[in-house]
Amino acid sequence: MSFLTVYITEAHPSDVWQMQSNIRDKVVFASPKSEEERASVAGICVRKLGIKYPSVLDEYGNSTEQAYTGWPDRIYLIDSQGKIAYKSKPGPFGFKPDELRAALAGMPEVEAASWRAAAGEIIAPGLYPMDADQSRKVHASDT
Amino acid sequence: MAGFRLRVSPFFRKLLLALVVALIAVYLAFGAFLWRTMHKPPEEFGRVMAKMPGPFVFLLFPFETMWVHARTGNLNLGDPAPDFSLMKVDKSGYVRLTDLNKRQPVVLVFGSYT
């Protein structure tokens, strides 16, 4: 059982669609203008949010985001045969770790201890600020 | 019991009808514009949304339902997951999905900081 964060295009960069909640939380970044800038913001994101599991950077052409329709945020579960076993609705509305938890619980090949440990870390305190409350709830209920 | 009947002139009735039709037309046209915008690349969508006055699109339109449909994507349950090989954020190497996915399920979490 493995978790992977795919860092993609910023949802609310300051030069495109600034959110007041991000200003309050001091999460203000302009759209990265190069691969290097994107890597830099992604690094800050992973560090500040304390994401423990591996994180990768979508390339600047957004090919992986487009293949998965991942923007602004989304969760997938891929089974050990490489097939899609769970696909959340698009975020922010559809980003529901509870649904992932149910999907994981239904997978015979996933050991409970393994996914419970990982699910406790998922998006805590929030990969996407609008989902933070829900993420904290999941985090708290798993501990 | 006799009902109250408001007397309006035919001209006023026509004017009212025209106004209602115009409002419906504007509503539908704006809804179509919003729907098309939801299919645009993220940055383009974001630039349009940034200009929307207040929360009115969320109040006047079934925004969530439209968004969920517009961003459904092409992948369905049971489809092979598209492979990718991407650099780790800490630059310690690349991760290929098919390598990670050998003999174990993988959860992919797409997102950004803002």
Side-chain angles (χ1 to χ4, degrees), chain A residues 68 76-78 82-87, chain B residues 75-82:
Chain A
Y68 285 85
Y76 281 86
L77 171 61
I78 319 291
K83 304 277 175 63
I84 293 167
Y86 166 74
K87 173 187 180 184
Chain B
L75 297 174
N76 297 306
L77 296 185
D79 286 352

Side-chain angles (χ1 to χ4, degrees), chain A residues 1-2 4 6 8 10-12 15-16 22 48 55 57 65 68 71 73-74 76 78 82-84 87 91 127, chain B residues 42 47 50 67 71-73 75 78-79 81-82 87-89 97 101 104-114:
Chain A
M1 178 74 223
S2 190
L4 188 69
V6 184
I8 55 173
E10 284 295 333
H12 297 289
D15 56 335
V16 177
N22 282 340
K48 294 270 187 186
S55 302
L57 189 65
E65 184 283 315
Y68 285 85
W71 190 87
D73 52 359
R74 193 165 213 154
Y76 281 86
I78 319 291
K83 304 277 175 63
I84 293 167
K87 173 187 180 184
L127 181 63
Chain B
R47 286 195 191 285
W67 181 244
R71 300 287 300 168
T72 294
L75 297 174
D79 286 352
M87 174 67 90
K88 285 189 194 175
V89 169
L97 178 65
N101 200 201
Q104 64 168 356
V106 173
V107 171
L108 299 178
V109 181
F110 288 83
S112 67
Y113 199 6
T114 58

Side-chain angles (χ1 to χ4, degrees), chain A residues 12-33:
Chain A
H12 297 289
S14 57
D15 56 335
V16 177
W17 186 12
Q18 179 70 73
M19 300 294 269
Q20 287 304 312
S21 57
N22 282 340
I23 294 175
R24 273 199 305 275
D25 295 340
K26 296 180 179 148
V27 182
V28 179
F29 292 93
S31 305
K33 300 290 185 289

Side-chain angles (χ1 to χ4, degrees), chain B residues 20-100:
Chain B
V20 169
V21 168
L23 275 176
I24 292 173
V26 168
Y27 180 82
L28 292 177
F30 196 86
F33 167 72
L34 190 61
W35 176 249
R36 273 203 313 276
T37 307
M38 286 178 173
H39 290 79
K40 302 279 186 194
E43 191 171 320
E44 210 172 316
F45 170 72
R47 286 195 191 285
V48 172
M49 288 304 294
K51 292 189 177 71
M52 295 285 175
F56 101 100
V57 282
F58 297 99
L59 298 173
L60 291 181
F61 294 92
F63 191 92
E64 182 176 338
T65 305
M66 290 169 74
W67 181 244
V68 165
H69 282 90
R71 300 287 300 168
T72 294
N74 303 317
L75 297 174
N76 297 306
L77 296 185
D79 286 352
D83 196 16
F84 57 78
S85 178
L86 295 173
M87 174 67 90
K88 285 189 194 175
V89 169
D90 64 10
K91 297 184 179 169
S92 62
Y94 282 82
V95 174
R96 181 176 285 281
L97 178 65
T98 43
D99 292 341
L100 191 66

